[in-house]
Amino acid sequence: MNEIICPHCKKAFKIDEAGYADILKQVRNHEFNEELHDRLLAAEKDKESAIKLAEERVKNQLLSDLAEKDKVAAEKSGEIARLEAKLQSTGTETKLAISEALNKVEKERDELANKLENKENEQKIVESSLREKYESELKSKDEMILYYKDLKAKLSTKMVGETLEQHCEVEFNKLRATAFRNAYFEKDNDSSSGTKGDYIYRENDEAGNEIISIMFEMKNEGDETATKHKNEDFLAKLDADRNKKGCEYAVLVSLLESENELYNTGIVDMSHKFPKTYVIRPQFFIPMITVLRNAALNSMKYKAELAVVRAQNIDITNFEDNMEKFKDGFARNYDLASRKFSDAIDGIDKTIKQLEKTKAALVSSENNLRLANDKAQDLTIKKLTKGNPTMQLKFDELKNIK
Protein backbone atom coordinates (compact mmCIF):
# COMPACT_ATOMS: atom_id res chain seq x y z
CA MET A 1 0.00 0.00 0.00
CA ASN A 2 1.18 3.54 -0.77
CA GLU A 3 0.17 6.73 1.01
CA ILE A 4 -0.97 9.63 -1.14
CA ILE A 5 -1.60 13.20 0.10
CA CYS A 6 -4.46 15.01 -1.62
CA PRO A 7 -3.17 18.39 -2.94
CA HIS A 8 -6.58 20.00 -2.26
CA CYS A 9 -7.64 18.86 1.22
CA LYS A 10 -4.12 17.83 2.39
CA LYS A 11 -5.53 14.55 3.72
CA ALA A 12 -3.56 11.34 3.34
CA PHE A 13 -5.07 8.15 2.02
CA LYS A 14 -3.68 4.80 1.00
CA ILE A 15 -4.03 3.08 -2.36
CA ASP A 16 -2.95 -0.34 -3.57
CA GLU A 17 -0.21 -1.00 -6.10
CA ALA A 18 -2.61 -1.05 -9.04
CA GLY A 19 -4.08 2.31 -8.11
CA TYR A 20 -0.63 3.77 -7.43
CA ALA A 21 0.59 2.56 -10.82
CA ASP A 22 -2.46 4.06 -12.50
CA ILE A 23 -1.88 7.42 -10.81
CA LEU A 24 1.78 7.35 -11.87
CA LYS A 25 0.55 6.55 -15.35
CA GLN A 26 -1.75 9.59 -15.20
CA VAL A 27 1.20 11.78 -14.19
CA ARG A 28 3.36 10.33 -16.96
CA ASN A 29 0.57 10.84 -19.49
CA HIS A 30 0.19 14.41 -18.28
CA GLU A 31 3.94 15.00 -18.52
CA PHE A 32 3.96 13.32 -21.93
CA ASN A 33 1.16 15.60 -23.13
CA GLU A 34 2.99 18.66 -21.84
CA GLU A 35 6.25 17.53 -23.40
CA LEU A 36 4.42 16.71 -26.63
CA HIS A 37 2.81 20.14 -26.62
CA ASP A 38 6.17 21.82 -25.96
CA ARG A 39 7.84 19.80 -28.70
CA LEU A 40 5.11 20.64 -31.17
CA LEU A 41 5.46 24.32 -30.36
CA ALA A 42 9.24 24.06 -30.67
CA ALA A 43 8.86 22.26 -33.99
CA GLU A 44 6.56 24.99 -35.26
CA LYS A 45 9.01 27.67 -34.14
CA ASP A 46 11.97 25.81 -35.68
CA LYS A 47 10.01 25.42 -38.90
CA GLU A 48 9.15 29.13 -39.05
CA SER A 49 12.71 30.15 -38.12
CA ALA A 50 14.21 27.86 -40.73
CA ILE A 51 11.88 29.19 -43.44
CA LYS A 52 12.63 32.78 -42.52
CA LEU A 53 16.37 32.09 -42.35
CA ALA A 54 16.36 30.36 -45.76
CA GLU A 55 14.35 33.15 -47.32
CA GLU A 56 16.65 35.81 -45.87
CA ARG A 57 19.71 33.89 -47.02
CA VAL A 58 18.42 33.48 -50.58
CA LYS A 59 17.24 37.08 -50.68
CA ASN A 60 20.58 38.43 -49.43
CA GLN A 61 22.49 36.22 -51.84
CA LEU A 62 20.37 37.37 -54.78
CA LEU A 63 20.71 41.01 -53.78
CA SER A 64 24.46 40.58 -53.40
CA ASP A 65 24.80 38.88 -56.79
CA LEU A 66 22.63 41.49 -58.48
CA ALA A 67 24.66 44.29 -56.91
CA GLU A 68 27.87 42.61 -58.02
CA LYS A 69 26.47 42.13 -61.48
CA ASP A 70 25.35 45.75 -61.72
CA LYS A 71 28.73 46.90 -60.43
CA VAL A 72 30.68 44.85 -62.96
CA ALA A 73 28.32 45.78 -65.77
CA ALA A 74 28.69 49.46 -64.88
CA GLU A 75 32.44 49.15 -64.79
CA LYS A 76 32.54 47.38 -68.13
CA SER A 77 30.14 49.83 -69.70
CA GLY A 78 32.29 52.70 -68.49
CA GLU A 79 35.41 51.09 -69.83
CA ILE A 80 33.74 50.43 -73.17
CA ALA A 81 32.56 54.01 -73.42
CA ARG A 82 36.08 55.23 -72.59
CA LEU A 83 37.67 53.01 -75.17
CA GLU A 84 35.14 54.02 -77.85
CA ALA A 85 35.88 57.67 -77.16
CA LYS A 86 39.58 57.02 -77.34
CA LEU A 87 39.11 55.06 -80.58
CA GLN A 88 37.50 57.96 -82.28
CA SER A 89 40.45 60.22 -81.47
CA THR A 90 43.29 57.94 -82.47
CA GLY A 91 44.57 56.51 -85.70
CA THR A 92 44.06 53.23 -87.44
CA GLU A 93 46.59 51.35 -85.38
CA THR A 94 45.24 52.78 -82.30
CA LYS A 95 41.75 51.97 -83.47
CA LEU A 96 42.89 48.40 -84.19
CA ALA A 97 44.47 48.09 -80.75
CA ILE A 98 41.45 49.62 -79.20
CA SER A 99 39.23 47.30 -81.26
CA GLU A 100 41.16 44.29 -80.05
CA ALA A 101 41.03 45.56 -76.53
CA LEU A 102 37.35 46.28 -76.98
CA ASN A 103 36.75 42.77 -78.31
CA LYS A 104 38.66 41.40 -75.37
CA VAL A 105 36.67 43.49 -72.97
CA GLU A 106 33.41 42.56 -74.69
CA LYS A 107 34.46 38.93 -74.57
CA GLU A 108 35.23 39.26 -70.89
CA ARG A 109 31.94 41.07 -70.47
CA ASP A 110 30.09 38.29 -72.23
CA GLU A 111 31.93 35.68 -70.20
CA LEU A 112 31.08 37.61 -67.04
CA ALA A 113 27.48 37.86 -68.19
CA ASN A 114 27.45 34.12 -68.81
CA LYS A 115 28.98 33.53 -65.39
CA LEU A 116 26.42 35.80 -63.83
CA GLU A 117 23.69 33.97 -65.70
CA ASN A 118 25.14 30.66 -64.60
CA LYS A 119 25.40 32.05 -61.08
CA GLU A 120 21.76 33.05 -61.22
CA ASN A 121 20.84 29.60 -62.47
CA GLU A 122 22.91 28.02 -59.73
CA GLN A 123 21.27 30.35 -57.25
CA LYS A 124 17.87 29.33 -58.54
CA ILE A 125 18.87 25.71 -58.30
CA VAL A 126 20.11 26.25 -54.72
CA GLU A 127 16.98 28.20 -53.88
CA SER A 128 14.81 25.47 -55.40
CA SER A 129 16.81 22.84 -53.55
CA LEU A 130 16.48 24.75 -50.28
CA ARG A 131 12.78 25.28 -50.89
CA GLU A 132 12.30 21.58 -51.65
CA LYS A 133 14.37 20.71 -48.58
CA TYR A 134 12.35 22.96 -46.29
CA GLU A 135 9.09 21.96 -47.91
CA SER A 136 10.12 18.35 -47.25
CA GLU A 137 10.99 19.28 -43.66
CA LEU A 138 7.71 21.17 -43.35
CA LYS A 139 5.84 18.15 -44.64
CA SER A 140 7.77 15.95 -42.24
CA LYS A 141 6.92 18.32 -39.38
CA ASP A 142 3.27 18.38 -40.39
CA GLU A 143 3.24 14.59 -40.59
CA MET A 144 4.89 14.44 -37.17
CA ILE A 145 2.31 16.85 -35.76
CA LEU A 146 -0.48 14.72 -37.22
CA TYR A 147 1.19 11.61 -35.87
CA TYR A 148 1.47 13.04 -32.38
CA LYS A 149 -2.09 14.34 -32.50
CA ASP A 150 -3.26 10.90 -33.56
CA LEU A 151 -1.05 9.32 -30.91
CA LYS A 152 -2.49 11.69 -28.31
CA ALA A 153 -6.00 10.77 -29.39
CA LYS A 154 -5.16 7.08 -29.16
CA LEU A 155 -3.55 7.58 -25.77
CA SER A 156 -6.70 9.42 -24.67
CA THR A 157 -9.06 6.65 -25.80
CA LYS A 158 -6.84 3.54 -25.75
CA MET A 159 -9.08 1.77 -28.16
CA VAL A 160 -9.02 0.58 -31.75
CA GLY A 161 -12.39 -0.23 -33.26
CA GLU A 162 -14.13 -0.14 -29.85
CA THR A 163 -16.86 2.06 -28.45
CA LEU A 164 -16.20 4.00 -25.27
CA GLU A 165 -18.50 1.73 -23.25
CA GLN A 166 -16.77 -1.38 -24.57
CA HIS A 167 -13.40 0.15 -23.81
CA CYS A 168 -14.32 0.86 -20.18
CA GLU A 169 -15.86 -2.59 -19.74
CA VAL A 170 -12.75 -4.27 -21.20
CA GLU A 171 -10.45 -2.20 -18.97
CA PHE A 172 -12.49 -3.15 -15.90
CA ASN A 173 -12.66 -6.86 -16.79
CA LYS A 174 -8.86 -6.95 -17.10
CA LEU A 175 -8.65 -6.26 -13.36
CA ARG A 176 -11.94 -7.77 -12.15
CA ALA A 177 -10.43 -11.09 -11.01
CA THR A 178 -7.53 -9.50 -9.12
CA ALA A 179 -8.50 -6.03 -7.91
CA PHE A 180 -12.33 -6.11 -7.92
CA ARG A 181 -13.32 -9.63 -6.87
CA ASN A 182 -16.25 -8.49 -4.71
CA ALA A 183 -17.38 -5.77 -7.12
CA TYR A 184 -20.47 -5.54 -9.34
CA PHE A 185 -20.00 -3.68 -12.62
CA GLU A 186 -22.79 -4.13 -15.16
CA LYS A 187 -24.91 -2.10 -17.56
CA ASP A 188 -27.88 -0.30 -16.06
CA ASN A 189 -30.84 -1.97 -17.77
CA ASP A 190 -33.55 -0.75 -15.38
CA SER A 191 -35.48 2.05 -17.10
CA SER A 192 -38.61 1.72 -14.94
CA SER A 193 -37.97 5.19 -13.48
CA GLY A 194 -38.00 6.76 -16.94
CA THR A 195 -34.24 7.02 -17.52
CA LYS A 196 -31.16 4.93 -16.90
CA GLY A 197 -27.40 5.38 -16.76
CA ASP A 198 -24.80 3.38 -18.66
CA TYR A 199 -23.07 1.33 -15.94
CA ILE A 200 -23.38 0.81 -12.18
CA TYR A 201 -20.45 -0.12 -9.94
CA ARG A 202 -21.12 -1.52 -6.47
CA GLU A 203 -18.84 -3.22 -3.96
CA ASN A 204 -19.60 -4.81 -0.57
CA ASP A 205 -17.32 -6.14 2.16
CA GLU A 206 -17.38 -9.69 3.53
CA ALA A 207 -20.13 -8.75 6.00
CA GLY A 208 -22.36 -7.46 3.21
CA ASN A 209 -21.88 -3.77 4.05
CA GLU A 210 -21.71 -1.54 0.99
CA ILE A 211 -18.27 0.01 0.51
CA ILE A 212 -18.97 2.19 -2.51
CA SER A 213 -21.45 2.66 -5.39
CA ILE A 214 -20.91 4.66 -8.60
CA MET A 215 -23.24 5.57 -11.47
CA PHE A 216 -21.26 5.85 -14.74
CA GLU A 217 -22.27 7.68 -17.92
CA MET A 218 -20.08 7.35 -21.07
CA LYS A 219 -20.16 10.06 -23.75
CA ASN A 220 -18.25 9.89 -27.08
CA GLU A 221 -18.55 12.37 -29.95
CA GLY A 222 -16.68 12.28 -33.27
CA ASP A 223 -15.12 15.32 -34.97
CA GLU A 224 -17.66 14.99 -37.77
CA THR A 225 -20.63 15.51 -35.42
CA ALA A 226 -22.54 18.61 -36.48
CA THR A 227 -23.92 19.54 -33.05
CA LYS A 228 -21.22 19.68 -30.41
CA HIS A 229 -22.28 18.91 -26.85
CA LYS A 230 -20.65 19.99 -23.61
CA ASN A 231 -19.95 17.80 -20.63
CA GLU A 232 -22.17 19.93 -18.40
CA ASP A 233 -25.15 19.13 -20.66
CA PHE A 234 -25.30 15.60 -19.19
CA LEU A 235 -24.60 16.23 -15.49
CA ALA A 236 -28.21 16.90 -14.43
CA LYS A 237 -29.46 13.60 -15.89
CA LEU A 238 -26.48 11.74 -14.42
CA ASP A 239 -27.21 13.16 -10.96
CA ALA A 240 -30.90 12.19 -11.28
CA ASP A 241 -29.94 8.62 -12.32
CA ARG A 242 -27.53 8.43 -9.38
CA ASN A 243 -30.26 9.36 -6.90
CA LYS A 244 -32.87 7.05 -8.47
CA LYS A 245 -30.52 4.05 -8.39
CA GLY A 246 -29.22 4.84 -4.88
CA CYS A 247 -25.57 5.36 -5.89
CA GLU A 248 -23.14 7.39 -3.79
CA TYR A 249 -21.04 8.86 -6.64
CA ALA A 250 -21.67 9.94 -10.26
CA VAL A 251 -18.88 9.86 -12.88
CA LEU A 252 -19.08 11.06 -16.50
CA VAL A 253 -16.47 9.36 -18.73
CA SER A 254 -16.27 11.74 -21.67
CA LEU A 255 -14.47 12.46 -24.93
CA LEU A 256 -16.47 15.65 -25.44
CA GLU A 257 -14.72 19.05 -25.60
CA SER A 258 -11.47 17.42 -26.70
CA GLU A 259 -9.64 20.76 -26.87
CA ASN A 260 -10.69 21.87 -23.38
CA GLU A 261 -7.57 21.69 -21.21
CA LEU A 262 -9.68 21.61 -18.02
CA TYR A 263 -10.86 18.10 -18.88
CA ASN A 264 -7.57 17.02 -20.49
CA THR A 265 -5.47 17.58 -17.36
CA GLY A 266 -7.07 14.91 -15.15
CA ILE A 267 -10.05 14.29 -12.85
CA VAL A 268 -12.44 17.26 -12.71
CA ASP A 269 -14.55 17.64 -9.56
CA MET A 270 -18.05 19.00 -10.39
CA SER A 271 -19.36 18.82 -6.80
CA HIS A 272 -19.92 22.58 -6.80
CA LYS A 273 -22.82 21.91 -9.21
CA PHE A 274 -23.90 18.36 -8.34
CA PRO A 275 -22.90 16.43 -5.18
CA LYS A 276 -20.15 13.83 -5.54
CA THR A 277 -20.00 14.23 -9.33
CA TYR A 278 -16.83 13.99 -11.46
CA VAL A 279 -15.85 14.26 -15.17
CA ILE A 280 -12.90 12.21 -16.46
CA ARG A 281 -11.22 11.13 -19.67
CA PRO A 282 -11.21 7.37 -20.46
CA GLN A 283 -7.58 6.91 -19.32
CA PHE A 284 -8.65 7.90 -15.77
CA PHE A 285 -11.50 5.33 -15.61
CA ILE A 286 -9.69 2.70 -13.49
CA PRO A 287 -7.74 5.26 -11.38
CA MET A 288 -11.06 7.02 -10.56
CA ILE A 289 -12.60 3.79 -9.25
CA THR A 290 -9.41 3.02 -7.31
CA VAL A 291 -9.21 6.45 -5.65
CA LEU A 292 -12.89 6.49 -4.63
CA ARG A 293 -12.71 2.85 -3.51
CA ASN A 294 -9.62 3.35 -1.34
CA ALA A 295 -11.11 6.46 0.23
CA ALA A 296 -14.28 4.47 0.98
CA LEU A 297 -12.26 1.61 2.49
CA ASN A 298 -10.56 4.08 4.82
CA SER A 299 -13.96 5.29 5.98
CA MET A 300 -15.35 1.76 6.48
CA LYS A 301 -14.04 1.65 10.05
CA TYR A 302 -16.16 4.67 10.88
CA LYS A 303 -19.12 3.16 9.04
CA ALA A 304 -18.69 -0.06 11.06
CA GLU A 305 -18.60 1.93 14.31
CA LEU A 306 -21.67 3.83 13.18
CA ALA A 307 -23.41 0.52 12.41
CA VAL A 308 -22.55 -0.74 15.92
CA VAL A 309 -23.92 2.47 17.44
CA ARG A 310 -27.04 2.17 15.33
CA ALA A 311 -27.42 -1.47 16.40
CA GLN A 312 -27.01 -0.42 20.03
CA ASN A 313 -29.62 2.28 19.55
CA ILE A 314 -31.91 -0.31 17.99
CA ASP A 315 -31.26 -2.66 20.95
CA ILE A 316 -32.04 0.13 23.41
CA THR A 317 -35.18 0.98 21.44
CA ASN A 318 -36.21 -2.68 21.42
CA PHE A 319 -35.48 -2.91 25.17
CA GLU A 320 -37.61 0.15 25.83
CA ASP A 321 -40.37 -1.24 23.60
CA ASN A 322 -40.25 -4.57 25.40
CA MET A 323 -40.24 -2.80 28.75
CA GLU A 324 -43.28 -0.77 27.74
CA LYS A 325 -45.02 -3.93 26.51
CA PHE A 326 -44.18 -5.66 29.82
CA LYS A 327 -45.43 -2.67 31.80
CA ASP A 328 -48.64 -2.56 29.78
CA GLY A 329 -49.17 -6.32 30.19
CA PHE A 330 -48.28 -6.20 33.87
CA ALA A 331 -50.64 -3.27 34.44
CA ARG A 332 -53.39 -5.09 32.57
CA ASN A 333 -52.81 -8.29 34.56
CA TYR A 334 -52.49 -6.31 37.80
CA ASP A 335 -55.79 -4.59 37.07
CA LEU A 336 -57.46 -7.94 36.43
CA ALA A 337 -55.84 -9.47 39.51
CA SER A 338 -56.74 -6.41 41.58
CA ARG A 339 -60.36 -6.70 40.56
CA LYS A 340 -60.39 -10.42 41.33
CA PHE A 341 -58.65 -9.72 44.62
CA SER A 342 -61.28 -7.10 45.51
CA ASP A 343 -64.00 -9.60 44.62
CA ALA A 344 -62.27 -12.19 46.79
CA ILE A 345 -61.92 -9.68 49.67
CA ASP A 346 -65.60 -8.82 49.34
CA GLY A 347 -66.42 -12.51 49.36
CA ILE A 348 -64.24 -13.05 52.43
CA ASP A 349 -65.86 -10.08 54.16
CA LYS A 350 -69.27 -11.50 53.37
CA THR A 351 -68.14 -14.92 54.59
CA ILE A 352 -66.69 -13.34 57.72
CA LYS A 353 -70.01 -11.61 58.40
CA GLN A 354 -71.82 -14.87 57.78
CA LEU A 355 -69.41 -16.73 60.03
CA GLU A 356 -69.76 -14.09 62.67
CA LYS A 357 -73.55 -14.58 62.49
CA THR A 358 -72.99 -18.30 62.62
CA LYS A 359 -70.53 -17.82 65.48
CA ALA A 360 -73.04 -15.68 67.36
CA ALA A 361 -75.68 -18.31 66.70
CA LEU A 362 -73.31 -21.06 67.85
CA VAL A 363 -72.36 -19.06 70.93
CA SER A 364 -76.01 -18.50 71.69
CA SER A 365 -76.69 -22.20 71.07
CA GLU A 366 -73.80 -23.13 73.36
CA ASN A 367 -75.25 -21.00 76.12
CA ASN A 368 -78.58 -22.65 75.67
CA LEU A 369 -76.97 -26.09 75.63
CA ARG A 370 -75.03 -25.22 78.79
CA LEU A 371 -78.17 -24.05 80.48
CA ALA A 372 -79.94 -27.16 79.23
CA ASN A 373 -77.08 -29.29 80.52
CA ASP A 374 -77.13 -27.51 83.84
CA LYS A 375 -80.85 -28.16 84.02
CA ALA A 376 -80.31 -31.76 82.98
CA GLN A 377 -77.63 -32.18 85.62
CA ASP A 378 -79.95 -30.68 88.20
CA LEU A 379 -82.81 -33.02 87.24
CA THR A 380 -83.54 -35.82 89.87
CA ILE A 381 -86.25 -38.48 90.41
CA LYS A 382 -87.34 -36.71 93.49
CA LYS A 383 -87.85 -33.54 91.50
CA LEU A 384 -89.61 -35.49 88.73
CA THR A 385 -92.04 -37.21 91.14
CA LYS A 386 -92.54 -34.24 93.40
CA GLY A 387 -96.21 -33.37 93.32
CA ASN A 388 -97.03 -36.49 91.18
CA PRO A 389 -98.48 -39.30 93.40
CA THR A 390 -98.85 -41.71 90.51
CA MET A 391 -95.21 -41.51 89.67
CA GLN A 392 -94.24 -41.77 93.33
CA LEU A 393 -96.31 -44.91 93.49
CA LYS A 394 -94.71 -46.43 90.46
CA PHE A 395 -91.22 -45.73 91.71
CA ASP A 396 -92.08 -47.19 95.08
CA GLU A 397 -93.33 -50.38 93.42
CA LEU A 398 -90.06 -50.66 91.48
CA LYS A 399 -88.13 -50.34 94.72
CA ASN A 400 -90.15 -53.11 96.33
CA ILE A 401 -89.65 -55.47 93.36
CA LYS A 402 -85.95 -55.09 93.79
Side-chain angles (χ1 to χ4, degrees):
M1 300 298 287
N2 296 275
E3 186 170 280
I4 300 295
I5 297 177
C6 176
H8 299 290
C9 64
K10 306 300 181 183
K11 292 185 179 179
F13 60 92
K14 293 184 178 181
I15 62 173
D16 55 20
E17 293 297 328
Y20 187 73
D22 286 333
I23 291 177
L24 288 179
K25 190 173 182 182
Q26 295 175 37
V27 176
R28 285 196 292 270
N29 285 341
H30 180 68
E31 293 175 350
F32 174 79
N33 290 333
E34 289 184 346
E35 184 178 358
L36 172 61
H37 184 262
D38 293 340
R39 288 188 179 182
L40 292 176
L41 290 177
E44 288 289 342
K45 291 180 179 178
D46 291 344
K47 179 179 73 174
E48 293 176 359
S49 299
I51 292 172
K52 289 181 180 178
L53 181 61
E55 290 177 349
E56 287 293 329
R57 189 181 299 167
V58 172
K59 181 179 179 181
N60 292 335
Q61 186 65 40
L62 288 174
L63 291 174
S64 177
D65 291 342
L66 288 173
E68 184 68 24
K69 179 181 176 182
D70 292 340
K71 181 180 178 182
V72 172
E75 290 177 355
K76 293 300 180 183
S77 297
E79 187 176 355
I80 290 172
R82 183 178 57 78
L83 289 174
E84 286 178 347
K86 187 176 180 181
L87 181 61
Q88 292 176 359
S89 61
T90 59
T92 303
E93 292 180 358
T94 303
K95 288 181 179 180
L96 181 61
I98 291 172
S99 178
E100 290 178 356
L102 181 60
N103 291 334
K104 183 179 179 181
V105 171
E106 288 177 349
K107 183 179 180 181
E108 290 178 356
R109 183 192 66 183
D110 293 338
E111 289 178 354
L112 181 59
N114 291 331
K115 286 182 179 179
L116 284 172
E117 186 177 355
N118 292 334
K119 186 70 174 177
E120 288 177 357
N121 292 333
E122 290 177 2
Q123 192 67 38
K124 289 179 180 179
I125 292 172
V126 170
E127 181 181 356
S128 176
S129 177
L130 286 172
R131 187 174 296 278
E132 289 179 358
K133 177 183 177 182
Y134 283 106
E135 285 179 353
S136 176
E137 289 184 0
L138 284 174
K139 184 178 180 181
S140 176
K141 296 288 186 184
D142 291 337
E143 289 176 352
M144 185 175 295
I145 289 171
L146 291 174
Y147 168 77
Y148 279 115
K149 285 183 177 180
D150 183 61
L151 177 61
K152 182 178 179 181
K154 288 181 179 179
L155 286 173
S156 297
T157 59
K158 294 183 180 178
M159 55 182 148
V160 179
E162 298 176 353
T163 66
L164 185 56
E165 291 183 8
Q166 290 172 336
H167 162 69
C168 293
E169 187 170 355
V170 168
E171 290 298 305
F172 183 84
N173 287 332
K174 287 179 182 178
L175 300 172
R176 185 191 289 267
T178 55
F180 305 107
R181 286 177 293 181
N182 296 325
Y184 166 90
F185 180 73
E186 301 293 341
K187 285 187 69 64
D188 180 16
N189 296 317
D190 181 12
S191 59
S192 59
S193 58
T195 61
K196 62 179 181 177
D198 286 333
Y199 281 86
I200 293 177
Y201 174 92
R202 295 186 189 276
E203 186 171 358
N204 297 335
D205 60 12
E206 300 297 335
N209 299 314
E210 183 175 283
I211 299 173
I212 187 174
S213 58
I214 309 172
M215 171 63 72
F216 280 101
E217 184 83 11
M218 285 74 170
K219 288 299 173 187
N220 189 2
E221 189 172 67
D223 293 334
E224 68 278 2
T225 304
T227 304
K228 298 295 183 182
H229 292 286
K230 293 185 177 181
N231 290 313
E232 292 187 11
D233 297 341
F234 302 95
L235 297 182
K237 175 184 176 299
L238 177 58
D239 182 66
D241 291 336
R242 174 181 71 87
N243 291 323
K244 289 176 182 177
K245 301 304 168 62
C247 295
E248 184 177 3
Y249 294 96
V251 177
L252 175 64
V253 184
S254 171
L255 287 172
L256 307 180
E257 301 182 71
S258 59
E259 302 301 324
N260 192 327
E261 290 302 317
L262 173 64
Y263 300 111
N264 292 335
T265 53
I267 298 171
V268 180
D269 186 355
M270 303 299 291
S271 298
H272 59 285
K273 293 192 174 182
F274 298 96
K276 296 186 177 182
T277 301
Y278 300 89
V279 178
I280 62 172
R281 293 304 189 199
Q283 63 265 33
F284 300 110
F285 172 66
I286 295 297
M288 186 76 222
I289 295 177
T290 304
V291 169
L292 293 179
R293 178 173 176 260
N294 289 337
L297 286 172
N298 290 335
S299 65
M300 280 302 293
K301 180 178 69 174
Y302 304 105
K303 288 184 178 179
E305 292 178 357
L306 181 60
V308 170
V309 172
R310 286 176 177 171
Q312 290 175 347
N313 289 337
I314 291 172
D315 290 342
I316 292 172
T317 303
N318 291 336
F319 176 78
E320 290 177 349
D321 291 342
N322 293 333
M323 179 64 74
E324 290 299 324
K325 289 179 181 178
F326 172 78
K327 288 167 65 178
D328 291 340
F330 182 83
R332 196 164 46 249
N333 293 333
Y334 175 81
D335 184 59
L336 292 173
S338 177
R339 277 185 269 169
K340 294 291 183 182
F341 186 78
S342 296
D343 293 342
I345 294 295
D346 292 340
I348 291 173
D349 288 341
K350 291 178 181 178
T351 303
I352 290 173
K353 290 179 179 178
Q354 185 63 38
L355 288 174
E356 286 178 347
K357 290 180 180 179
T358 305
K359 178 182 177 182
L362 290 173
V363 169
S364 175
S365 176
E366 182 184 7
N367 290 331
N368 291 324
L369 287 172
R370 182 176 55 80
L371 293 172
N373 183 56
D374 290 342
K375 289 178 178 182
Q377 292 295 329
D378 192 47
L379 182 62
T380 60
I381 294 173
K382 187 182 288 187
K383 288 181 177 181
L384 288 173
T385 59
K386 184 180 180 181
N388 191 339
T390 302
M391 290 301 296
Q392 288 179 355
L393 178 62
K394 292 292 181 186
F395 278 110
D396 289 338
E397 287 176 356
L398 286 174
K399 289 179 179 180
N400 292 326
I401 291 173
K402 292 178 178 181

